[in-house]
Amino acid sequence: MRMVDIIDKKRNGGELTKEEIQTFVDGVVSGEIPDYQTSAFLMATYFKDMTDAERSELTMAMMKSGDHLDLSSIDGLKVDKHSTGGVGDKTSIPLAPIVAALGIPVPMISGRGLGHTGGTLDKLEAIPGYQVEISEADFIKQVQNQGLAIVGATGNIAPADKKIYALRDVTDTVDSIPLIASSIMSKKIASGTDALVIDVKTGSGAFMKTLDDSRELAKALVGIGKGVGMNCMAIISDMNQPLGNAIGNALEIKESIDLLKGQAPADITDLVLTLGSYMVVMSGKTDNMAEARKMCEQTIEDGSALKKFGDMIEAQGGDRSVIDHPEIMPQAKYKIPLPAKTSGVVSRVEADEMGVASMLLGGGRQKADDQLDYAVGIMMNKKVGDKVDAGEPLLTIYSDRENVDDIKDLLYANIEISDSAKPFTLIHETVR
């Protein structure tokens, strides 16, 4: 079976067989299929989509391409969360310790940035010493001892996805429902978690720009999870403007710490508490969402979530003093304000272009092997609905280069000031 024939079949809209999908996945893992053919297959899939059967077969082939974690030695029902990615979306970082502080095991396997979106692992690596790559045995031991871990794919989890993931980022095939669904669910199924809450983003800063597409992706993800017996549900949350105020690796760690201290912006705090409430309910601690939210809020008020975060950092080799001294993370040389040109109300902030601006500063990858600058990024001073006076800073650019005229031009083109603004709905709906 030749890879070129499989590419040809998918390019022309044909439905691939289980054997053809398996041939593709096996070839990716073994290296027998070169990157240019893998890229061609990804592009063909992007344009021609996949049937439900193909999506399931691709997910399971990718899952079976590596190890399957056995978490049975960890007491309790294990609950995880995944986000489809957005700008300023650091929810996993404060969410995991909040839920773990309630005695619920959170074995979280996360990813790196894709395109204009940031990755949880990239953000955590801004903490001096923090190790995202640990062995399977250490991962299980840490969840047993600390109640949580946030790591990259341990051992040999879904090795096909590792290769495909990097190529999707640099071939502009990220926002494809079958590729997103198979990537997420192959890792989550292989990671052995019992229950999963998925945060599907929608809007300008998401891979799925429309609510209809986001709903289709949410249904695809939940459908795959249910099909293998996983307790799985999704929420669809808004990404038409950045989440929180911070965009950039070290900046988002600082905002995550602020959230655990009860000092973060309302939108990121509300989303984290909503996701946490669903995780608590799925764990069986309570069947009441209001009570679950109060339980999550209590871990912030009593400091137990912040302590749990410090314990996780220390367990993974990081410097827990970052909690009180975030300045130990890389710091940008220049902090450059972007003044408003007119007075009025901020009516539009294109989230994806805010992410692109951070990426161009060095905070994200344009090529698979790009090295990140953890210090750079953007701090929003004004968001949609906020009043602003001419000359007042809309945001602050954190940069290691003094001349950022290109970044300013990009940002000005994607922030609009009007007489009024229509507020966003943060959480659109749930998919069960």
Side-chain angles (χ1 to χ4, degrees):
M1 192 179 298
R2 299 191 309 163
M3 187 60 202
V4 68
D5 296 325
I6 296 174
I7 295 169
D8 178 77
K9 184 175 180 179
K10 177 47 62 181
R11 186 197 67 183
N12 291 314
E15 181 174 358
L16 301 178
T17 65
K18 178 179 181 179
E19 291 72 25
E20 287 167 332
I21 291 173
Q22 192 66 57
T23 295
F24 165 66
V25 171
D26 289 344
V28 168
V29 175
S30 68
E32 293 178 12
I33 297 175
D35 284 354
Y36 58 82
Q37 284 191 317
T38 301
S39 298
F41 178 86
L42 298 178
M43 191 62 72
T45 300
Y46 178 90
F47 282 112
K48 295 300 182 179
D49 205 345
M50 283 184 166
T51 65
D52 289 344
E54 285 178 296
R55 293 175 184 180
S56 295
E57 293 294 352
L58 180 59
T59 300
M60 297 310 292
M62 289 170 60
M63 187 275 285
K64 293 175 182 176
S65 69
D67 299 334
H68 189 288
L69 282 180
D70 180 1
L71 303 183
S72 60
S73 61
I74 300 171
D75 292 336
L77 195 149
K78 279 72 70 177
V79 185
D80 196 1
K81 167 264 176 188
H82 186 86
S83 169
T84 58
V87 179
D89 181 11
K90 72 282 296 177
T91 52
S92 292
I93 296 167
L95 175 62
I98 287 172
V99 176
L102 294 170
I104 301 165
V106 184
M108 191 172 285
I109 295 178
S110 297
R112 298 192 179 277
L114 277 177
H116 63 273
T117 69
T120 298
L121 300 183
D122 298 324
K123 296 164 190 175
L124 286 167
E125 285 183 329
I127 301 172
Y130 191 96
Q131 300 297 314
V132 300
E133 304 294 341
I134 65 177
S135 70
E136 177 181 328
D138 287 342
F139 174 64
I140 292 172
K141 183 178 179 181
Q142 183 175 320
V143 178
Q144 287 173 331
N145 293 337
Q146 308 295 339
L148 79 166
I150 305 179
V151 301
T154 62
N156 197 36
I157 291 286
D161 181 64
K162 283 189 177 181
K163 295 188 177 183
I164 292 171
Y165 198 90
L167 285 173
R168 283 171 58 209
D169 196 14
V170 295
T171 56
D172 198 28
T173 54
V174 170
D175 52 337
S176 164
I177 287 175
L179 299 180
I180 294 173
S182 60
S183 173
I184 293 172
M185 297 309 295
S186 64
K187 289 179 289 191
K188 292 305 179 184
I189 295 168
S191 70
T193 191
D194 297 312
L196 177 66
V197 177
I198 307 170
D199 181 12
V200 177
K201 301 297 186 183
T202 192
S204 67
F207 298 129
M208 301 292 106
K209 305 299 183 186
T210 70
L211 185 56
D212 284 345
D213 285 345
S214 299
R215 188 181 294 116
E216 183 184 350
L217 175 58
K219 289 179 178 178
L221 291 163
V222 173
I224 292 170
K226 296 281 189 181
V228 298
M230 179 185 289
N231 186 5
C232 186
M233 60 84 62
I235 70 166
I236 300 176
S237 66
D238 197 84
M239 188 42 70
N240 280 299
Q241 67 174 335
L243 184 61
N245 294 337
I247 308 167
N249 299 299
L251 295 175
E252 292 190 50
I253 292 295
K254 170 65 165 58
E255 189 165 81
S256 298
I257 294 168
D258 289 344
L259 192 154
L260 293 173
K261 293 179 177 180
Q263 301 166 0
D267 60 346
I268 179 68
T269 301
D270 187 25
L271 182 58
V272 166
L273 290 173
T274 299
L275 291 166
S277 300
Y278 278 115
M279 292 174 73
V280 171
V281 169
M282 294 177 83
S283 77
K285 288 281 184 179
T286 177
D287 59 3
N288 185 289
M289 281 289 290
E291 183 181 354
R293 189 180 182 97
K294 289 180 181 178
M295 293 167 67
C296 292
E297 290 171 340
Q298 183 61 37
T299 70
I300 296 174
E301 294 169 9
D302 65 19
S304 60
L306 187 64
K307 180 182 182 302
K308 185 65 71 174
F309 183 52
D311 292 343
M312 181 188 74
I313 292 172
E314 188 171 1
Q316 290 181 232
D319 187 345
R320 72 182 297 154
S321 70
V322 71
I323 288 173
D324 294 314
H325 300 284
E327 67 274 8
I328 69 172
M329 291 185 289
Q331 301 294 304
K333 293 179 182 178
Y334 304 99
K335 298 177 184 178
I336 304 163
L338 185 79
K341 293 182 178 182
T342 59
S343 298
V345 177
V346 177
S347 58
R348 180 176 66 94
V349 178
E350 290 293 335
D352 53 353
E353 297 301 331
M354 301 300 109
V356 169
S358 180
M359 179 184 69
L360 294 174
L361 288 166
R365 297 179 183 84
Q366 298 184 65
K367 302 188 301 296
D369 58 351
D370 280 351
Q371 297 298 308
L372 297 183
D373 185 340
Y374 296 109
V376 302
I378 292 166
M379 184 65 73
M380 304 298 301
N381 299 104
K382 301 290 183 179
K383 295 180 71 175
V384 172
D386 290 341
K387 293 181 179 180
V388 61
D389 295 323
E392 194 176 2
L394 292 164
L395 54 82
T396 303
I397 301 167
Y398 285 67
S399 175
D400 279 334
R401 55 182 167 102
E402 189 171 10
N403 186 336
V404 291
D405 288 346
D406 58 327
I407 303 299
K408 287 183 176 181
D409 290 344
L410 175 63
L411 294 171
Y412 274 128
N414 289 283
I415 300 176
E416 189 173 302
I417 299 173
S418 304
D419 294 331
S420 62
K422 182 180 178 181
F424 288 126
T425 298
L426 180 63
I427 299 171
H428 294 274
E429 58 189 69
T430 61
V431 176
R432 295 184 182 277

